[in-house]
Amino acid sequence: MKKLAVLGSTGSIGRQTLDVARAFPEHLRVTALAAGRNRDLLLEQVREFKPRLFCCSDVKDGQDAFRAAGCEEVSLEEMAVAADVDMVVVATSGKAGLKPALAALEQGKPVALANKEVLVMAGALVTEAARRTGASLLPIDSEHSAIWQCLRGEGAESDGCKGVSRLILTASGGAFRDRPLDTLAVATAADALKHPTWLMGEKITIDSATLMNKGLETLEAHWLFGLPLDKIDILIHRQSIIHSMVEFVDGSLKAQLGPPDMRLPIQYALSYPLRWPNRSFGQLDLSGHLNLTFEQVDERRYPCLGLAIEAGRTGGTYPAVLNGADEAAVGLFLQGRVGFGDIAVLVRRVLDAHVGTAKPSLDEVLAADAWARERVRELVEG
Amino acid sequence: MKKLAVLGSTGSIGRQTLDVARAFPEHLRVTALAAGRNRDLLLEQVREFKPRLFCCSDVKDGQDAFRAAGCEEVSLEEMAVAADVDMVVVATSGKAGLKPALAALEQGKPVALANKEVLVMAGALVTEAARRTGASLLPIDSEHSAIWQCLRGEGAESDGCKGVSRLILTASGGAFRDRPLDTLAVATAADALKHPTWLMGEKITIDSATLMNKGLETLEAHWLFGLPLDKIDILIHRQSIIHSMVEFVDGSLKAQLGPPDMRLPIQYALSYPLRWPNRSFGQLDLSGHLNLTFEQVDERRYPCLGLAIEAGRTGGTYPAVLNGADEAAVGLFLQGRVGFGDIAVLVRRVLDAHVGTAKPSLDEVLAADAWARERVRELVEG
């Protein structure tokens, strides 16, 4: 029986994590739930799963209902290190997951990670904490789960990925993969939110349309699997069935396939090293004619990807600035205050203006993030 | 340094095994070479690799040239258990590999297996010998190598493949995958030898056109990986890039990809558990637009596949009869003495006429094989 803390339980990944917990009551018990804004859904989840601990950061009143359900309020960091938590699922968004993830890893507790920002912003600090205590960092993203599955048994972690020549992250190409280049600048948020294959949160769907998402995943993969950025490539794969691939030094490749259903990589992270049966989640249909295609990335269509790799190469506080600027710019785009093409322009201008710190502390990372968001606001408001 | 005996060194797989040995002189030494017919090429190979042992079963004279090269003549079985042989590559064709493979396994020596007949005819005896001594049985076939790579690290061998829901062998569909069904009966050997993606020996190329090849591979996979036949499926995959797949109980699939170059699975079997670099063998080109398709098998087009599965289900001496009858029928087809459609008809008639033995000894297996070949000859000659 694995006792789970689910941080960000009312978001897309959090809710699907609870689907997995519902499907495997013999293996999983939810002992702690945390959400940012959606107090009502959190309360509903608390009544269903009866965790001992809860955290609802943005709500100051109405905690009585939680207490009536026998639930004790704690901070995210307290939750991450609580004695009756065996594994922390970090499904928060933005930088909220950073401190609790670090706290769990520093205590040697395994962290299942869906929150990209944790590794993008503070990859060095986070992986260093995991290494120090021997705690596992288990990816939940479908792409990283795919790579993790393909590396299984290949001795990759222990020998510095000696047998691996490169990782290939697949990308659907997002909502605008076929839109004429000269009309991208005027694309609306409603257009950009029409993801061709995955149903996800708004921020990540826009990041798919810009391919910033794949840039952030490249930085994540670098930290998770210890490979240099120039050994991580992207291929456009429209069907979102091959979730990523690993190429080995002998020329052999392994790919992981599955339907676009996030509950499968979530389940894998929770069941690892075992595989539990598929209980009514998506299943790939191979009974008809299946067609899988791969294409190179057109860099003119996706300037954000290059910005992400560049920030990753420079390192230090630059990835945090990239991420903060992107989140602020996407927020403004979703409000209709800037155009789609402005996202990359804003991120580039903020990166260009940044004076970085080489080996930043957590505080310096957070300061760089805040600075980047502020800088985007200044640029837009004049 | 691994010391290799290559049995069947002048055939297609044997020659490619020597290509791998040439590419990795720091890892591989060829200490024994054996061939059936091609004495001149064997002598050339002996002069190049300077093995201590040779065997040229079909040549009675001209052994002096081998002795002049410092090479001692032995039988295949003596070669398989020789002290300076660490691994036996069984790349013979037909039943020639059976006794030496068994001899090696009984001594606890690893066997890299390219010769389908060994497992098809005597799967129970061979896997039992390997289990008894703990010797490894390493597949060289591209499909089985793919499955073996996908199962790596999945704990499949030790727990009876508990996490695996099925194996999916991919098939190109052979030379006649698109030929109108009503013209199959009159297809010539020259037509059938035009394999769309792989360059292989004649017998196996005809077996690709009938899909008997995939039937034999299904039986092989059953013995190699310990899964029941109803958990092994076939998909037509025209491009021969995905060499096979494994579906796990959670709904996740892993696939192994590579160019259609047999030197890669051979190298993998020889380097396992390491992966050596790709030294000028084929490499998959992902730089352009790649299209991978999957289709169901049309059973009317490929009656041999059903016959193979049926023989595998019945077990005992039936798979040996299937294999012997197929080899005899394909031989007659290659000589132009029977039509393409007659291959399946002959195999079915011989299987129908067979009275099987449930747990056959090696002698009973060989007798069933001889009986099946003779029976085909009788049926054709009236």
Side-chain angles (χ1 to χ4, degrees):
Chain A
M1 183 67 76
K2 223 172 257 178
K3 287 172 271 178
L4 297 183
V6 182
L7 278 53
S9 65
T10 61
S12 168
I13 298 296
R15 290 195 312 271
Q16 295 184 79
T17 302
L18 294 183
D19 278 349
V20 176
R22 265 181 211 106
F24 297 96
E26 72 278 34
H27 294 310
L28 299 173
R29 200 162 82 216
V30 177
T31 52
L33 285 171
R37 279 169 296 236
N38 199 336
R39 180 193 166 280
D40 291 347
L41 178 55
L42 181 65
L43 185 56
E44 214 176 280
Q45 293 173 343
V46 160
R47 285 178 176 148
E48 178 184 355
F49 288 97
K50 301 181 178 48
R52 195 177 66 80
L53 305 172
F54 83 101
C55 172
C56 190
S57 47
D58 282 1
V59 176
K60 294 297 161 231
D61 54 351
Q63 313 301 59
D64 286 350
F66 290 93
R67 284 190 208 103
C71 209
E72 180 188 336
E73 186 172 13
V74 289
S75 72
L76 285 179
E77 283 107 303
E78 287 167 334
M79 185 175 283
V81 301
D84 53 356
V85 166
D86 298 328
M87 182 186 271
V88 182
V89 179
V90 179
T92 44
S93 64
K95 58 185 179 295
L98 199 42
K99 283 183 177 174
L102 265 173
L105 293 171
E106 271 159 8
Q107 294 265 322
K109 244 186 241 296
V111 168
L113 194 63
N115 183 324
K116 288 190 174 51
E117 287 80 356
V118 171
L119 283 174
V120 170
M121 292 174 72
L125 292 169
V126 168
T127 52
E128 170 52 29
R131 208 175 359 251
R132 209 166 44 234
T133 63
S136 317
L137 201 52
L138 315 169
I140 278 185
D141 246 359
S142 64
E143 291 80 357
H144 301 97
S145 179
I147 289 171
W148 184 33
Q149 292 182 52
C150 291
L151 288 176
R152 205 176 158 153
E154 296 283 350
E157 307 80 27
S158 56
D159 67 359
C161 286
K162 235 174 29 192
V164 174
S165 69
R166 61 177 174 145
L167 311 179
I168 302 171
L169 295 165
T170 54
S172 69
F176 297 154
R177 60 194 184 188
D178 294 317
R179 186 173 173 126
L181 277 181
D182 55 6
T183 71
L184 277 184
V186 298
T188 67
D191 297 338
L193 287 173
K194 287 180 192 134
H195 193 278
T197 48
W198 287 96
L199 197 65
M200 302 180 294
E202 290 195 340
K203 157 73 163 54
I204 192 173
T205 305
I206 304 300
D207 278 349
S208 291
T210 63
L211 228 60
M212 177 61 91
N213 195 30
K214 223 42 66 170
L216 300 177
E217 287 172 11
T218 302
L219 306 193
E220 255 191 299
H222 159 68
W223 289 113
L224 278 169
F225 306 112
L227 269 108
L229 290 167
D230 59 8
K231 288 191 168 183
I232 308 173
D233 286 339
I234 317 273
L235 272 182
I236 301 287
H237 168 54
R238 290 168 176 260
Q239 297 79 20
S240 298
I241 285 176
I242 290 191
H243 296 312
S244 279
M245 305 196 263
V246 174
E247 186 179 68
F248 296 94
V249 291
D250 57 2
S252 175
L253 284 101
K254 286 208 295 215
Q256 190 267 341
L257 295 78
D261 186 326
M262 281 306 298
R263 295 172 300 183
L264 296 176
I266 294 170
Q267 176 178 322
Y268 183 75
L270 302 184
S271 73
Y272 180 83
L274 299 177
R275 287 184 183 271
W276 297 333
N278 186 299
R279 291 209 176 132
S280 78
F281 300 153
Q283 197 115 26
L284 200 58
D285 182 12
L286 291 166
S287 70
H289 190 105
L290 185 65
N291 201 1
L292 305 178
T293 60
F294 301 92
E295 303 154 59
Q296 294 298 302
V297 173
D298 177 354
E299 286 169 19
R300 290 165 310 165
R301 182 176 294 278
Y302 301 113
C304 283
L305 178 61
L307 294 175
I309 307 298
E310 207 182 297
R313 282 217 183 93
T314 318
T317 41
Y318 284 91
V321 165
L322 170 93
N323 180 72
D326 176 62
E327 197 170 321
V330 169
L332 293 168
F333 170 67
L334 284 168
Q335 294 164 25
R337 295 178 58 198
V338 303
F340 183 75
D342 295 328
I343 298 172
V345 173
L346 286 166
V347 172
R348 172 174 293 286
R349 287 183 63 186
V350 174
L351 280 171
D352 285 348
H354 183 58
V355 181
T357 308
K359 290 191 170 177
S361 66
L362 187 57
D363 285 342
E364 287 168 319
V365 164
L366 293 170
D369 169 77
W371 173 85
R373 288 164 198 271
E374 186 51 35
R375 195 83 195 94
V376 169
R377 236 164 281 135
E378 288 169 14
L379 285 169
V380 171
E381 284 159 12
Chain B
M1 182 67 77
K2 222 171 258 176
K3 286 171 274 179
L4 297 183
V6 183
L7 278 53
S9 65
T10 61
S12 169
I13 298 296
R15 292 196 311 271
Q16 294 183 81
T17 302
L18 294 183
D19 278 349
V20 176
R22 266 181 209 107
F24 296 96
E26 72 278 34
H27 295 310
L28 299 173
R29 202 164 79 215
V30 177
T31 52
L33 284 172
R37 280 169 296 238
N38 198 337
R39 180 194 167 279
D40 290 348
L41 179 54
L42 181 65
L43 184 56
E44 213 177 279
Q45 292 174 344
V46 160
R47 284 178 176 147
E48 178 183 355
F49 289 97
K50 302 182 177 47
R52 195 178 65 82
L53 305 172
F54 83 101
C55 171
C56 190
S57 47
D58 282 359
V59 175
K60 296 295 161 233
D61 56 349
Q63 311 303 57
D64 286 350
F66 289 93
R67 284 190 209 103
C71 209
E72 181 188 336
E73 188 172 13
V74 288
S75 73
L76 284 179
E77 283 107 300
E78 288 168 333
M79 186 176 281
V81 300
D84 53 356
V85 166
D86 298 328
M87 180 184 274
V88 182
V89 179
V90 179
T92 44
S93 65
K95 58 186 178 294
L98 200 42
K99 284 183 179 174
L102 266 173
L105 293 170
E106 272 160 8
Q107 294 263 322
K109 245 188 239 297
V111 168
L113 194 63
N115 184 324
K116 287 190 175 52
E117 287 81 356
V118 170
L119 283 174
V120 169
M121 294 174 70
L125 293 168
V126 168
T127 52
E128 171 51 31
R131 206 173 1 249
R132 210 167 42 235
T133 63
S136 317
L137 201 53
L138 316 169
I140 278 185
D141 246 359
S142 65
E143 291 81 358
H144 301 97
S145 179
I147 289 172
W148 183 33
Q149 292 182 53
C150 291
L151 288 175
R152 204 176 161 153
E154 297 282 350
E157 305 82 27
S158 55
D159 67 359
C161 286
K162 235 176 27 193
V164 174
S165 68
R166 61 175 174 147
L167 312 180
I168 302 170
L169 295 165
T170 53
S172 71
F176 297 153
R177 61 192 185 192
D178 295 317
R179 188 174 172 126
L181 276 181
D182 55 7
T183 70
L184 276 184
V186 298
T188 66
D191 295 339
L193 287 173
K194 287 180 193 133
H195 193 279
T197 48
W198 287 98
L199 197 65
M200 303 180 292
E202 289 195 342
K203 157 72 164 55
I204 192 172
T205 305
I206 304 300
D207 278 348
S208 290
T210 62
L211 227 61
M212 177 61 90
N213 194 30
K214 223 41 65 170
L216 300 177
E217 286 172 11
T218 301
L219 307 193
E220 253 191 303
H222 159 67
W223 289 114
L224 277 169
F225 305 113
L227 269 109
L229 290 167
D230 60 7
K231 288 193 169 182
I232 308 174
D233 286 338
I234 317 273
L235 272 183
I236 302 285
H237 168 55
R238 291 168 174 260
Q239 298 78 21
S240 298
I241 284 176
I242 290 191
H243 296 313
S244 279
M245 305 196 263
V246 173
E247 186 179 66
F248 297 93
V249 291
D250 57 1
S252 174
L253 285 101
K254 287 207 292 212
Q256 188 266 341
L257 297 78
D261 185 327
M262 281 306 298
R263 294 172 299 183
L264 297 176
I266 294 170
Q267 176 178 321
Y268 183 75
L270 302 183
S271 72
Y272 180 83
L274 299 178
R275 287 184 184 271
W276 297 333
N278 187 299
R279 289 207 177 136
S280 77
F281 300 152
Q283 197 114 25
L284 199 58
D285 182 10
L286 291 166
S287 69
H289 190 105
L290 184 66
N291 201 3
L292 304 178
T293 61
F294 302 92
E295 301 154 60
Q296 294 298 303
V297 173
D298 177 353
E299 287 169 18
R300 290 166 310 165
R301 182 176 293 279
Y302 302 112
C304 283
L305 178 61
L307 294 175
I309 307 299
E310 208 181 296
R313 281 216 184 94
T314 318
T317 41
Y318 284 90
V321 166
L322 170 93
N323 181 71
D326 176 62
E327 197 169 320
V330 169
L332 293 169
F333 171 66
L334 285 169
Q335 294 164 26
R337 294 179 58 198
V338 303
F340 183 74
D342 296 328
I343 298 173
V345 173
L346 286 166
V347 172
R348 172 174 291 286
R349 288 183 63 186
V350 174
L351 279 171
D352 285 348
H354 182 59
V355 181
T357 308
K359 288 191 172 180
S361 66
L362 187 57
D363 284 343
E364 287 168 318
V365 163
L366 293 171
D369 168 77
W371 173 85
R373 289 164 197 271
E374 186 51 35
R375 195 83 196 94
V376 169
R377 237 163 280 132
E378 287 168 17
L379 286 169
V380 171
E381 285 159 13

